[in-house]
Amino acid sequence: MFDPLRPLKYLPWTELLQVALVTIGFTTLLDWAFFQAADTPPLRPFVAQIFNSAFGFLIGLAAAVGVGALAVAVMERWYRQRFVITNSILWALVPCLALWLWLRSFLPDTIFPQLLTPFLGFNSLICVILGVFWKGKSYWR
């Protein structure tokens, strides 16, 4: 009897979770550095005005696309010799990123602010998928 979930067992889940953790860790550091730079008195009103407009929403979506693209770049750099990147590997990377983004949302905002990559919602998830498959376009076949 055919088991449709059997191919999922053979995906490199440990490596994909590591790639997602490194990616989310790096974006958390970038988010923290951006917050520290934007919290200076001359920039604070300008940054607040940008993030309270529709342009701030677009910046958040672009950051989510960047998270997906960065994850594929990390995977290409570190794990290319260990496994062949395929379409199923790219699809498996998406829930790994979603898991770490969801876990990151539990960190306190006072220590780790979430300006660029906020809590994972539907729009952010779609943009992460777009980023993964935009950067991983050459691995679709």
Side-chain angles (χ1 to χ4, degrees):
M1 184 173 202
F2 178 69
D3 183 15
L5 299 179
R6 183 177 173 159
L8 292 176
K9 291 188 231 178
Y10 299 110
L11 292 174
W13 290 106
T14 306
E15 289 85 359
L16 292 174
L17 284 170
Q18 289 173 356
V19 166
L21 178 63
V22 167
T23 303
I24 300 306
F26 184 70
T27 57
T28 301
L29 287 175
L30 282 177
D31 220 359
W32 178 81
F34 177 75
F35 180 76
Q36 294 300 322
D39 200 31
T40 59
L43 292 177
R44 192 176 302 143
F46 178 69
V47 172
Q49 184 180 7
I50 287 176
F51 277 99
N52 289 332
S53 68
F55 191 62
F57 179 71
L58 292 176
I59 290 173
L61 293 181
V65 170
V67 167
L70 180 64
V72 174
V74 168
M75 187 170 48
E76 285 176 344
R77 179 78 175 166
W78 289 350
Y79 292 107
R80 194 174 215 167
Q81 285 78 26
R82 223 180 259 188
F83 54 84
V84 177
I85 300 172
T86 61
N87 194 14
S88 60
I89 299 260
L90 294 176
W91 274 112
L93 182 62
V94 172
C96 294
L97 286 169
L99 172 71
W100 287 116
L101 280 170
W102 178 69
L103 289 174
R104 180 182 179 253
S105 69
F106 291 116
L107 293 175
D109 283 340
T110 57
I111 300 171
F112 298 103
Q114 299 178 7
L115 290 176
L116 296 177
T117 52
F119 173 68
L120 186 68
F122 182 73
N123 294 333
S124 297
L125 180 63
I126 295 299
C127 288
V128 167
I129 292 170
L130 286 174
V132 165
F133 284 96
W134 171 64
K135 176 70 174 156
K137 184 174 25 177
S138 59
Y139 303 112
W140 286 0
R141 297 179 197 187

